[in-house]
């Protein structure tokens, strides 16, 4: 079995007293351990663990981990690695999303020989206000590719470039 958590045990029925009668109890271990090396280990009955030891913190939760801060959530690290077996969604409900790389920024899709990349803007008009604007002060629409001191390379087996047409409106 490849489960990472303890399945629900069968409840045991115990008589507490005449007021409660038989009551179901589930035999699960939960504990707090303080180890000789200073490690602290907190565990709950369905496989959840919090281990503080060796300068690290380990969080294990087979049913998932929900982090719900009321305001900001800030992470500072030398390196951050995030992996998912399923999808990853990164979104902002009310404001912008910005990603910055000091050196290279690389995006790959279709690694399994299926899939592609879609850059879509649903903005309207031709507003481009970038100069002396930062963060949420920037105003723009459409898609802009800029390499002011370099080149923009477009490589492909075939390249199709068009303006205007059905569902696209007039184009220059």
């Amino acid at each position: 079995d490849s489960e990472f958590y303890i399945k629900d045990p069968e409840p045991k029925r115990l008589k507490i007293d005449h007021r409660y009668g038989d009551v179901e109890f589930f035999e699960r271990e939960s504990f707090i351990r303080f180890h000789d090396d200073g490690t602290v280990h907190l565990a709950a009955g369905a496989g959840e663990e919090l281990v503080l030891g060796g300068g690290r913190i380990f969080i294990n939760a087979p049913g998932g981990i929900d982090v719900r801060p009321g305001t900001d959530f800030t992470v500072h690290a030398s390196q951050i690695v995030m992996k998912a077996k399923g999808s990853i969604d990164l979104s902002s409900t009310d404001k912008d999303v910005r990603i910055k790389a000091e050196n290279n920024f690389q995006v790959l899709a279709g690694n399994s020989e299926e899939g592609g990349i879609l850059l879509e803007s649903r903005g309207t008009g031709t507003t481009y206000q970038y100069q002396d604007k930062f963060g949420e002060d920037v105003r723009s629409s459409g898609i802009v590719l800029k390499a002011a001191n370099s080149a923009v390379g477009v490589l492909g087996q075939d390249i199709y470039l068009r303006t205007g047409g059905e569902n696209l409106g007039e184009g220059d």
Side-chain angles (χ1 to χ4, degrees):
D1 200 2
S2 63
E3 300 289 332
F4 293 101
Y5 59 93
I6 301 169
K7 293 187 179 193
D8 288 333
E10 291 297 318
K12 306 246 177 176
R13 297 198 62 83
L14 297 172
K15 182 173 182 168
I16 302 299
D17 64 21
H18 66 281
R19 294 173 296 174
Y20 296 101
D22 287 350
V23 176
E24 288 186 346
F25 280 94
F26 295 86
E27 293 179 326
R28 288 194 173 188
E29 181 182 31
S30 60
F31 60 81
I32 298 175
R33 289 193 182 124
F34 299 97
H35 298 269
D36 292 340
D37 67 354
T39 298
V40 177
H41 188 174
L42 170 67
E48 310 91 333
E49 290 182 297
L50 178 61
V51 180
L52 296 85
R56 301 179 66 96
I57 297 175
F58 298 91
I59 302 172
N60 301 309
I65 298 172
D66 296 325
V67 180
R68 299 176 184 182
T71 59
D72 299 340
F73 180 70
T74 304
V75 177
H76 294 271
S78 177
Q79 178 173 281
I80 296 174
V81 176
M82 297 176 68
K83 294 182 179 183
K85 188 172 191 294
S87 298
I88 294 177
D89 295 315
L90 176 65
S91 66
S92 173
T93 302
D94 296 324
K95 299 285 183 164
D96 299 350
V97 173
R98 290 177 289 282
I99 301 173
K100 176 213 183 252
E102 196 67 28
N103 292 313
N104 298 313
F105 179 77
Q106 301 166 351
V107 177
L108 170 66
N111 196 45
S112 65
E113 298 185 8
E114 276 189 37
I117 297 172
L118 168 67
L119 295 176
E120 178 180 4
S121 171
R122 294 184 179 178
T124 59
T126 54
T127 301
Y128 306 108
Q129 296 176 358
Y130 292 99
Q131 188 169 353
D132 299 323
K133 305 230 182 255
F134 304 96
E136 293 167 1
D137 294 334
V138 168
R139 296 291 171 253
S140 67
S141 61
I143 296 172
V144 176
L145 300 175
K146 178 181 178 181
N149 299 311
S150 186
V152 174
V154 179
L155 309 171
Q157 180 177 336
D158 296 309
I159 297 174
Y160 175 75
L161 184 65
R162 127 183 211 188
T163 65
E166 187 179 336
N167 299 324
L168 296 175
E170 293 282 327
D172 292 330

